[in-house]
Amino acid sequence: MTQGLPLRKDVPTDKKWNLKDLFTSDDDFYHTLEHVLQSSKDFNKKYYKKLNHIEIIEEALKEYEDILIQLDRLYNYPELRVSVDTGNEDAQRVNAKLNTTSGKIAGLLSFVDSEILGLSDSAFNELKQNSNYPHFIKQLQDRKPYQLFIDVEQVLAILTPTLRSPFELYGTTKSLDIDFESFEHAGVTYPLDYATFENEYEDNPDPEFRRKSFKAFSTAIRKYQHTTAATYNMQVQQEKIEADLRGYDSVIDYLLQEQAVSRDLFDRQIDVIMSDLAPVMQKYAKLIQRVHGLDKIRFEDLKISLDPSYEPDISIEESKDYIYGALNVLGEDYVKMLESAYSQRWIDFAQNKGKDTGAYCASPYYTHSYVFISWTGKMAETFVLAHELGHAGHFTLAQNHQNLLESEASMYFVEAPSTMNEMLMSNYLFNSSQDPKFKRWVIGTILSRTYYHNMVTHLLEAAYQREVYQRVDQGESLTASLLNQIMLNTYEKFFGNAVEMTDGVELTWMRQPHYYMGLYSYTYSAGLTIGTVVSQKIKNEGQPAVDRWLETLKAGGSKSPVELAQIAGVDITTDAPLKATIKYISDLVDELEHLTNQIESEY
């Protein structure tokens, strides 16, 4: 039997992030939590029912911001700890303590929005024109028609930890309860869990191994489909209740409010990609089938590399050359941030038992970003790291130039800086060699890693999610069989007859935490659309385009997504950027086919 992953305690320190910049110890966390609770009580006593003129509101917002900075720090610490070691009981206790206290804090602070929205129209407009937080005030104004009575808002705030329970329950089921059985291949027994399947087995070049692992994985998670469906139904039904309470026409409109974009932008992103990108990706799937000599291409074949034998191994140390080389176009200060990420241990590279799957970047305003990744030594992971460091660069610049209340860009825009970095990485690698096999590997990677993952996988999640919310708006309750049907129909609609849908495809909805984060999934394709167009502008225009992009990043959340894109030179009020991006992807597939023909004729 092959060896499983090491325990967290056995991972070398240099492969783990340093959380001491957030809190030196759990005791430090508990002390700060108590201090923030007391500060919130003092704040409530000082300002409750007194936010009635501009001077006192501005004074209160500054103190409010200071409390939120500490809260942001508190929220990040347990999340970071649990994600790298889900079974760690100390980390679970820290998280539990935060959950029992955070609702009290939220209730004490909830009056701020309500009292500001209670101002007369003239006073509100004067505040918006003279405030140090103009975009924050504007966002409040946009929510005014949906604001509830102050006491109701307070109750909802207090219930925040309870309303987050479905997400935590989903994580517990996924990480701790599912019993994965090992499987055998070629006389060897292989251990199985979420991390090994998604990080190592899913793109294995051996089709028999790949299909066996997918079958074993699907068999394991299928046993938990009803519990997971009930958990997800709990999430969407409580979102429906709040949407109805606030007077929104639909859950989708309610969830889009915080993104500051219209329903048109949401629907267009899904509809255009489902119609225009689908034939391009079907062609790409057929190319995978041809190169690998498969009798048919199945769902579990879609993530394999076009040429897995070619992909070079890369160490963490070697990754620096590629990261710095690709991203130095963004300037000296940006590269210094990248160097700090490595040298000051912002990045958790470890692979260990109990670590969550995927990759993410957390960026507490109090300190610096933290990047979560499981480094397997594959060259393609330079794209993943560039992506997450794109978030780090964005938040570093935004937090250096904006106050907390205006530092975080809308969810619609937040994936643009990360996916833009992936494009810079692909351009850098593509220009570093004239070898057609290397060029094919680069394009194959950008298609499979960047575009398939971000624009197809997440987009199909979004199409599925839209169908789910439409049914919830119609009063339906979600069951495992219904979710399986919606998921399978979504994949079949996109891939048509080009890809065979294996048993287990329908369970894909069980694998994604994004469904517990509002309408997050579709924003990957929105961000990649902006990122693709901007990367082409940088390629064609040079420094002027870089300067515009850096100004966009510095703006953080002080502008709407439409305004942020405009600073970068992209008009997302039309479908032109999306159409241009799909055309670019189509050209990549054509180039991939051309390089394949050239390689097959020469080798």
PDB file of all heavy atoms in Angstrom, residues 81-114:
ATOM      1  N   ARG A  81      -6.496  28.212  10.643  1.00  0.00           N
ATOM      2  CA  ARG A  81      -6.033  27.069  11.437  1.00  0.00           C
ATOM      3  C   ARG A  81      -6.790  25.799  11.079  1.00  0.00           C
ATOM      4  O   ARG A  81      -6.197  24.727  10.917  1.00  0.00           O
ATOM      5  CB  ARG A  81      -6.194  27.363  12.927  1.00  0.00           C
ATOM      6  CG  ARG A  81      -5.200  28.396  13.440  1.00  0.00           C
ATOM      7  CD  ARG A  81      -5.043  28.295  14.945  1.00  0.00           C
ATOM      8  NE  ARG A  81      -4.532  26.980  15.335  1.00  0.00           N
ATOM      9  CZ  ARG A  81      -4.582  26.515  16.577  1.00  0.00           C
ATOM     10  NH1 ARG A  81      -5.119  27.232  17.533  1.00  0.00           N
ATOM     11  NH2 ARG A  81      -4.094  25.332  16.862  1.00  0.00           N
ATOM     12  N   VAL A  82      -8.112  25.898  10.979  1.00  0.00           N
ATOM     13  CA  VAL A  82      -8.921  24.711  10.696  1.00  0.00           C
ATOM     14  C   VAL A  82      -8.666  24.197   9.288  1.00  0.00           C
ATOM     15  O   VAL A  82      -8.619  22.986   9.056  1.00  0.00           O
ATOM     16  CB  VAL A  82     -10.421  25.015  10.906  1.00  0.00           C
ATOM     17  CG1 VAL A  82     -11.286  23.862  10.404  1.00  0.00           C
ATOM     18  CG2 VAL A  82     -10.709  25.270  12.389  1.00  0.00           C
ATOM     19  N   SER A  83      -8.469  25.098   8.328  1.00  0.00           N
ATOM     20  CA  SER A  83      -8.334  24.660   6.936  1.00  0.00           C
ATOM     21  C   SER A  83      -7.085  23.823   6.696  1.00  0.00           C
ATOM     22  O   SER A  83      -7.053  22.989   5.791  1.00  0.00           O
ATOM     23  CB  SER A  83      -8.341  25.863   5.987  1.00  0.00           C
ATOM     24  OG  SER A  83      -7.180  26.652   6.140  1.00  0.00           O
ATOM     25  N   VAL A  84      -6.030  24.012   7.503  1.00  0.00           N
ATOM     26  CA  VAL A  84      -4.818  23.220   7.308  1.00  0.00           C
ATOM     27  C   VAL A  84      -4.813  21.956   8.162  1.00  0.00           C
ATOM     28  O   VAL A  84      -3.967  21.072   7.961  1.00  0.00           O
ATOM     29  CB  VAL A  84      -3.531  24.035   7.595  1.00  0.00           C
ATOM     30  CG1 VAL A  84      -3.384  25.163   6.589  1.00  0.00           C
ATOM     31  CG2 VAL A  84      -3.508  24.565   9.027  1.00  0.00           C
ATOM     32  N   ASP A  85      -5.753  21.856   9.103  1.00  0.00           N
ATOM     33  CA  ASP A  85      -5.794  20.674   9.971  1.00  0.00           C
ATOM     34  C   ASP A  85      -7.193  20.567  10.559  1.00  0.00           C
ATOM     35  O   ASP A  85      -7.442  20.966  11.698  1.00  0.00           O
ATOM     36  CB  ASP A  85      -4.747  20.799  11.086  1.00  0.00           C
ATOM     37  CG  ASP A  85      -4.526  19.487  11.830  1.00  0.00           C
ATOM     38  OD1 ASP A  85      -5.195  18.490  11.492  1.00  0.00           O
ATOM     39  OD2 ASP A  85      -3.686  19.468  12.749  1.00  0.00           O
ATOM     40  N   THR A  86      -8.125  20.037   9.763  1.00  0.00           N
ATOM     41  CA  THR A  86      -9.541  20.062  10.138  1.00  0.00           C
ATOM     42  C   THR A  86      -9.839  19.277  11.411  1.00  0.00           C
ATOM     43  O   THR A  86     -10.833  19.532  12.079  1.00  0.00           O
ATOM     44  CB  THR A  86     -10.409  19.494   9.002  1.00  0.00           C
ATOM     45  OG1 THR A  86      -9.904  18.205   8.618  1.00  0.00           O
ATOM     46  CG2 THR A  86     -10.396  20.418   7.797  1.00  0.00           C
ATOM     47  N   GLY A  87      -8.980  18.325  11.764  1.00  0.00           N
ATOM     48  CA  GLY A  87      -9.213  17.529  12.958  1.00  0.00           C
ATOM     49  C   GLY A  87      -8.582  18.090  14.217  1.00  0.00           C
ATOM     50  O   GLY A  87      -8.715  17.496  15.297  1.00  0.00           O
ATOM     51  N   ASN A  88      -7.913  19.242  14.120  1.00  0.00           N
ATOM     52  CA  ASN A  88      -7.220  19.825  15.265  1.00  0.00           C
ATOM     53  C   ASN A  88      -8.235  20.356  16.285  1.00  0.00           C
ATOM     54  O   ASN A  88      -8.978  21.304  16.014  1.00  0.00           O
ATOM     55  CB  ASN A  88      -6.311  20.958  14.783  1.00  0.00           C
ATOM     56  CG  ASN A  88      -5.450  21.530  15.888  1.00  0.00           C
ATOM     57  OD1 ASN A  88      -5.949  21.940  16.927  1.00  0.00           O
ATOM     58  ND2 ASN A  88      -4.149  21.554  15.666  1.00  0.00           N
ATOM     59  N   GLU A  89      -8.262  19.760  17.462  1.00  0.00           N
ATOM     60  CA  GLU A  89      -9.281  20.124  18.458  1.00  0.00           C
ATOM     61  C   GLU A  89      -9.066  21.519  19.027  1.00  0.00           C
ATOM     62  O   GLU A  89     -10.034  22.217  19.357  1.00  0.00           O
ATOM     63  CB  GLU A  89      -9.307  19.072  19.572  1.00  0.00           C
ATOM     64  CG  GLU A  89      -9.829  17.716  19.088  1.00  0.00           C
ATOM     65  CD  GLU A  89      -9.988  16.714  20.216  1.00  0.00           C
ATOM     66  OE1 GLU A  89      -9.732  17.085  21.389  1.00  0.00           O
ATOM     67  OE2 GLU A  89     -10.376  15.564  19.913  1.00  0.00           O
ATOM     68  N   ASP A  90      -7.812  21.948  19.166  1.00  0.00           N
ATOM     69  CA  ASP A  90      -7.558  23.314  19.639  1.00  0.00           C
ATOM     70  C   ASP A  90      -8.120  24.333  18.652  1.00  0.00           C
ATOM     71  O   ASP A  90      -8.730  25.341  19.052  1.00  0.00           O
ATOM     72  CB  ASP A  90      -6.058  23.543  19.821  1.00  0.00           C
ATOM     73  CG  ASP A  90      -5.495  22.812  21.037  1.00  0.00           C
ATOM     74  OD1 ASP A  90      -6.291  22.468  21.928  1.00  0.00           O
ATOM     75  OD2 ASP A  90      -4.272  22.589  21.074  1.00  0.00           O
ATOM     76  N   ALA A  91      -7.908  24.074  17.358  1.00  0.00           N
ATOM     77  CA  ALA A  91      -8.422  24.970  16.323  1.00  0.00           C
ATOM     78  C   ALA A  91      -9.948  24.983  16.331  1.00  0.00           C
ATOM     79  O   ALA A  91     -10.579  26.032  16.158  1.00  0.00           O
ATOM     80  CB  ALA A  91      -7.903  24.537  14.955  1.00  0.00           C
ATOM     81  N   GLN A  92     -10.559  23.827  16.558  1.00  0.00           N
ATOM     82  CA  GLN A  92     -12.019  23.749  16.620  1.00  0.00           C
ATOM     83  C   GLN A  92     -12.561  24.531  17.816  1.00  0.00           C
ATOM     84  O   GLN A  92     -13.601  25.185  17.716  1.00  0.00           O
ATOM     85  CB  GLN A  92     -12.452  22.289  16.693  1.00  0.00           C
ATOM     86  CG  GLN A  92     -12.205  21.504  15.415  1.00  0.00           C
ATOM     87  CD  GLN A  92     -12.460  20.016  15.586  1.00  0.00           C
ATOM     88  OE1 GLN A  92     -12.888  19.563  16.628  1.00  0.00           O
ATOM     89  NE2 GLN A  92     -12.175  19.259  14.542  1.00  0.00           N
ATOM     90  N   ARG A  93     -11.846  24.476  18.944  1.00  0.00           N
ATOM     91  CA  ARG A  93     -12.273  25.236  20.130  1.00  0.00           C
ATOM     92  C   ARG A  93     -12.197  26.742  19.886  1.00  0.00           C
ATOM     93  O   ARG A  93     -13.066  27.506  20.301  1.00  0.00           O
ATOM     94  CB  ARG A  93     -11.430  24.843  21.345  1.00  0.00           C
ATOM     95  CG  ARG A  93     -11.913  23.572  22.037  1.00  0.00           C
ATOM     96  CD  ARG A  93     -11.245  23.397  23.398  1.00  0.00           C
ATOM     97  NE  ARG A  93      -9.831  23.063  23.255  1.00  0.00           N
ATOM     98  CZ  ARG A  93      -9.380  21.825  23.150  1.00  0.00           C
ATOM     99  NH1 ARG A  93     -10.216  20.798  23.149  1.00  0.00           N
ATOM    100  NH2 ARG A  93      -8.081  21.584  23.040  1.00  0.00           N
ATOM    101  N   VAL A  94     -11.123  27.160  19.207  1.00  0.00           N
ATOM    102  CA  VAL A  94     -10.983  28.578  18.865  1.00  0.00           C
ATOM    103  C   VAL A  94     -12.152  29.019  17.988  1.00  0.00           C
ATOM    104  O   VAL A  94     -12.760  30.074  18.207  1.00  0.00           O
ATOM    105  CB  VAL A  94      -9.634  28.822  18.145  1.00  0.00           C
ATOM    106  CG1 VAL A  94      -9.623  30.190  17.480  1.00  0.00           C
ATOM    107  CG2 VAL A  94      -8.476  28.716  19.127  1.00  0.00           C
ATOM    108  N   ASN A  95     -12.477  28.191  17.006  1.00  0.00           N
ATOM    109  CA  ASN A  95     -13.574  28.505  16.087  1.00  0.00           C
ATOM    110  C   ASN A  95     -14.910  28.545  16.828  1.00  0.00           C
ATOM    111  O   ASN A  95     -15.741  29.429  16.590  1.00  0.00           O
ATOM    112  CB  ASN A  95     -13.613  27.465  14.970  1.00  0.00           C
ATOM    113  CG  ASN A  95     -14.473  27.906  13.807  1.00  0.00           C
ATOM    114  OD1 ASN A  95     -14.419  29.061  13.391  1.00  0.00           O
ATOM    115  ND2 ASN A  95     -15.274  27.006  13.283  1.00  0.00           N
ATOM    116  N   ALA A  96     -15.111  27.580  17.723  1.00  0.00           N
ATOM    117  CA  ALA A  96     -16.365  27.528  18.479  1.00  0.00           C
ATOM    118  C   ALA A  96     -16.525  28.756  19.372  1.00  0.00           C
ATOM    119  O   ALA A  96     -17.617  29.322  19.495  1.00  0.00           O
ATOM    120  CB  ALA A  96     -16.410  26.249  19.311  1.00  0.00           C
ATOM    121  N   LYS A  97     -15.438  29.185  20.015  1.00  0.00           N
ATOM    122  CA  LYS A  97     -15.486  30.358  20.875  1.00  0.00           C
ATOM    123  C   LYS A  97     -15.831  31.609  20.072  1.00  0.00           C
ATOM    124  O   LYS A  97     -16.629  32.459  20.521  1.00  0.00           O
ATOM    125  CB  LYS A  97     -14.129  30.542  21.577  1.00  0.00           C
ATOM    126  CG  LYS A  97     -14.065  31.746  22.509  1.00  0.00           C
ATOM    127  CD  LYS A  97     -15.042  31.638  23.661  1.00  0.00           C
ATOM    128  CE  LYS A  97     -14.897  32.797  24.638  1.00  0.00           C
ATOM    129  NZ  LYS A  97     -15.903  32.748  25.727  1.00  0.00           N
ATOM    130  N   LEU A  98     -15.265  31.720  18.886  1.00  0.00           N
ATOM    131  CA  LEU A  98     -15.589  32.864  18.029  1.00  0.00           C
ATOM    132  C   LEU A  98     -17.067  32.848  17.656  1.00  0.00           C
ATOM    133  O   LEU A  98     -17.738  33.885  17.682  1.00  0.00           O
ATOM    134  CB  LEU A  98     -14.725  32.835  16.759  1.00  0.00           C
ATOM    135  CG  LEU A  98     -15.027  33.938  15.739  1.00  0.00           C
ATOM    136  CD1 LEU A  98     -14.695  35.309  16.314  1.00  0.00           C
ATOM    137  CD2 LEU A  98     -14.233  33.716  14.458  1.00  0.00           C
ATOM    138  N   ASN A  99     -17.582  31.662  17.321  1.00  0.00           N
ATOM    139  CA  ASN A  99     -18.984  31.566  16.919  1.00  0.00           C
ATOM    140  C   ASN A  99     -19.928  31.971  18.040  1.00  0.00           C
ATOM    141  O   ASN A  99     -20.957  32.616  17.791  1.00  0.00           O
ATOM    142  CB  ASN A  99     -19.305  30.141  16.458  1.00  0.00           C
ATOM    143  CG  ASN A  99     -18.797  29.865  15.055  1.00  0.00           C
ATOM    144  OD1 ASN A  99     -18.557  30.786  14.282  1.00  0.00           O
ATOM    145  ND2 ASN A  99     -18.626  28.603  14.720  1.00  0.00           N
ATOM    146  N   THR A 100     -19.616  31.615  19.276  1.00  0.00           N
ATOM    147  CA  THR A 100     -20.510  31.957  20.383  1.00  0.00           C
ATOM    148  C   THR A 100     -20.449  33.436  20.741  1.00  0.00           C
ATOM    149  O   THR A 100     -21.381  33.967  21.337  1.00  0.00           O
ATOM    150  CB  THR A 100     -20.168  31.123  21.646  1.00  0.00           C
ATOM    151  OG1 THR A 100     -18.801  31.365  22.022  1.00  0.00           O
ATOM    152  CG2 THR A 100     -20.374  29.645  21.390  1.00  0.00           C
ATOM    153  N   THR A 101     -19.367  34.097  20.366  1.00  0.00           N
ATOM    154  CA  THR A 101     -19.194  35.508  20.731  1.00  0.00           C
ATOM    155  C   THR A 101     -19.524  36.462  19.581  1.00  0.00           C
ATOM    156  O   THR A 101     -19.989  37.579  19.802  1.00  0.00           O
ATOM    157  CB  THR A 101     -17.741  35.763  21.200  1.00  0.00           C
ATOM    158  OG1 THR A 101     -17.391  34.814  22.208  1.00  0.00           O
ATOM    159  CG2 THR A 101     -17.573  37.161  21.754  1.00  0.00           C
ATOM    160  N   SER A 102     -19.292  36.019  18.359  1.00  0.00           N
ATOM    161  CA  SER A 102     -19.415  36.933  17.210  1.00  0.00           C
ATOM    162  C   SER A 102     -20.840  37.426  17.018  1.00  0.00           C
ATOM    163  O   SER A 102     -21.059  38.567  16.585  1.00  0.00           O
ATOM    164  CB  SER A 102     -18.916  36.253  15.934  1.00  0.00           C
ATOM    165  OG  SER A 102     -19.685  35.089  15.646  1.00  0.00           O
ATOM    166  N   GLY A 103     -21.823  36.585  17.338  1.00  0.00           N
ATOM    167  CA  GLY A 103     -23.213  37.032  17.212  1.00  0.00           C
ATOM    168  C   GLY A 103     -23.525  38.182  18.158  1.00  0.00           C
ATOM    169  O   GLY A 103     -24.235  39.129  17.794  1.00  0.00           O
ATOM    170  N   LYS A 104     -22.995  38.104  19.374  1.00  0.00           N
ATOM    171  CA  LYS A 104     -23.191  39.192  20.337  1.00  0.00           C
ATOM    172  C   LYS A 104     -22.582  40.486  19.800  1.00  0.00           C
ATOM    173  O   LYS A 104     -23.191  41.563  19.896  1.00  0.00           O
ATOM    174  CB  LYS A 104     -22.538  38.834  21.673  1.00  0.00           C
ATOM    175  CG  LYS A 104     -23.102  37.594  22.346  1.00  0.00           C
ATOM    176  CD  LYS A 104     -22.295  37.261  23.594  1.00  0.00           C
ATOM    177  CE  LYS A 104     -22.724  35.928  24.208  1.00  0.00           C
ATOM    178  NZ  LYS A 104     -21.875  35.565  25.368  1.00  0.00           N
ATOM    179  N   ILE A 105     -21.375  40.375  19.252  1.00  0.00           N
ATOM    180  CA  ILE A 105     -20.695  41.565  18.719  1.00  0.00           C
ATOM    181  C   ILE A 105     -21.482  42.144  17.550  1.00  0.00           C
ATOM    182  O   ILE A 105     -21.697  43.356  17.459  1.00  0.00           O
ATOM    183  CB  ILE A 105     -19.254  41.209  18.301  1.00  0.00           C
ATOM    184  CG1 ILE A 105     -18.430  40.819  19.527  1.00  0.00           C
ATOM    185  CG2 ILE A 105     -18.606  42.377  17.566  1.00  0.00           C
ATOM    186  CD1 ILE A 105     -17.054  40.263  19.203  1.00  0.00           C
ATOM    187  N   ALA A 106     -21.926  41.262  16.654  1.00  0.00           N
ATOM    188  CA  ALA A 106     -22.687  41.733  15.491  1.00  0.00           C
ATOM    189  C   ALA A 106     -23.965  42.447  15.927  1.00  0.00           C
ATOM    190  O   ALA A 106     -24.351  43.478  15.342  1.00  0.00           O
ATOM    191  CB  ALA A 106     -23.020  40.550  14.581  1.00  0.00           C
ATOM    192  N   GLY A 107     -24.628  41.921  16.944  1.00  0.00           N
ATOM    193  CA  GLY A 107     -25.834  42.565  17.445  1.00  0.00           C
ATOM    194  C   GLY A 107     -25.566  43.943  18.022  1.00  0.00           C
ATOM    195  O   GLY A 107     -26.351  44.877  17.825  1.00  0.00           O
ATOM    196  N   LEU A 108     -24.452  44.087  18.702  1.00  0.00           N
ATOM    197  CA  LEU A 108     -24.089  45.382  19.293  1.00  0.00           C
ATOM    198  C   LEU A 108     -23.758  46.431  18.240  1.00  0.00           C
ATOM    199  O   LEU A 108     -23.928  47.637  18.478  1.00  0.00           O
ATOM    200  CB  LEU A 108     -22.890  45.198  20.235  1.00  0.00           C
ATOM    201  CG  LEU A 108     -23.158  44.435  21.537  1.00  0.00           C
ATOM    202  CD1 LEU A 108     -21.842  44.003  22.190  1.00  0.00           C
ATOM    203  CD2 LEU A 108     -23.979  45.302  22.507  1.00  0.00           C
ATOM    204  N   LEU A 109     -23.289  45.997  17.080  1.00  0.00           N
ATOM    205  CA  LEU A 109     -22.851  46.924  16.040  1.00  0.00           C
ATOM    206  C   LEU A 109     -23.906  47.156  14.952  1.00  0.00           C
ATOM    207  O   LEU A 109     -23.747  48.055  14.123  1.00  0.00           O
ATOM    208  CB  LEU A 109     -21.572  46.387  15.373  1.00  0.00           C
ATOM    209  CG  LEU A 109     -20.358  46.153  16.270  1.00  0.00           C
ATOM    210  CD1 LEU A 109     -19.210  45.549  15.470  1.00  0.00           C
ATOM    211  CD2 LEU A 109     -19.910  47.457  16.943  1.00  0.00           C
ATOM    212  N   SER A 110     -24.956  46.369  14.953  1.00  0.00           N
ATOM    213  CA  SER A 110     -25.903  46.388  13.824  1.00  0.00           C
ATOM    214  C   SER A 110     -26.644  47.706  13.669  1.00  0.00           C
ATOM    215  O   SER A 110     -27.158  48.009  12.597  1.00  0.00           O
ATOM    216  CB  SER A 110     -26.919  45.249  13.987  1.00  0.00           C
ATOM    217  OG  SER A 110     -27.723  45.457  15.143  1.00  0.00           O
ATOM    218  N   PHE A 111     -26.699  48.516  14.734  1.00  0.00           N
ATOM    219  CA  PHE A 111     -27.453  49.773  14.668  1.00  0.00           C
ATOM    220  C   PHE A 111     -26.815  50.788  13.727  1.00  0.00           C
ATOM    221  O   PHE A 111     -27.477  51.726  13.273  1.00  0.00           O
ATOM    222  CB  PHE A 111     -27.587  50.382  16.070  1.00  0.00           C
ATOM    223  CG  PHE A 111     -26.322  50.981  16.605  1.00  0.00           C
ATOM    224  CD1 PHE A 111     -26.041  52.342  16.429  1.00  0.00           C
ATOM    225  CD2 PHE A 111     -25.383  50.200  17.273  1.00  0.00           C
ATOM    226  CE1 PHE A 111     -24.862  52.904  16.928  1.00  0.00           C
ATOM    227  CE2 PHE A 111     -24.213  50.752  17.771  1.00  0.00           C
ATOM    228  CZ  PHE A 111     -23.950  52.098  17.600  1.00  0.00           C
ATOM    229  N   VAL A 112     -25.528  50.634  13.424  1.00  0.00           N
ATOM    230  CA  VAL A 112     -24.822  51.646  12.639  1.00  0.00           C
ATOM    231  C   VAL A 112     -25.494  51.846  11.285  1.00  0.00           C
ATOM    232  O   VAL A 112     -25.866  52.974  10.919  1.00  0.00           O
ATOM    233  CB  VAL A 112     -23.336  51.259  12.449  1.00  0.00           C
ATOM    234  CG1 VAL A 112     -22.644  52.239  11.499  1.00  0.00           C
ATOM    235  CG2 VAL A 112     -22.619  51.229  13.792  1.00  0.00           C
ATOM    236  N   ASP A 113     -25.656  50.784  10.527  1.00  0.00           N
ATOM    237  CA  ASP A 113     -26.291  50.901   9.215  1.00  0.00           C
ATOM    238  C   ASP A 113     -27.707  51.447   9.340  1.00  0.00           C
ATOM    239  O   ASP A 113     -28.122  52.339   8.582  1.00  0.00           O
ATOM    240  CB  ASP A 113     -26.344  49.539   8.517  1.00  0.00           C
ATOM    241  CG  ASP A 113     -24.972  49.040   8.091  1.00  0.00           C
ATOM    242  OD1 ASP A 113     -23.976  49.742   8.357  1.00  0.00           O
ATOM    243  OD2 ASP A 113     -24.887  47.947   7.497  1.00  0.00           O
ATOM    244  N   SER A 114     -28.460  50.918  10.294  1.00  0.00           N
ATOM    245  CA  SER A 114     -29.870  51.307  10.437  1.00  0.00           C
ATOM    246  C   SER A 114     -30.016  52.789  10.752  1.00  0.00           C
ATOM    247  O   SER A 114     -30.884  53.474  10.184  1.00  0.00           O
ATOM    248  CB  SER A 114     -30.535  50.471  11.535  1.00  0.00           C
ATOM    249  OG  SER A 114     -30.529  49.096  11.204  1.00  0.00           O
TER     250      SER A 114
END
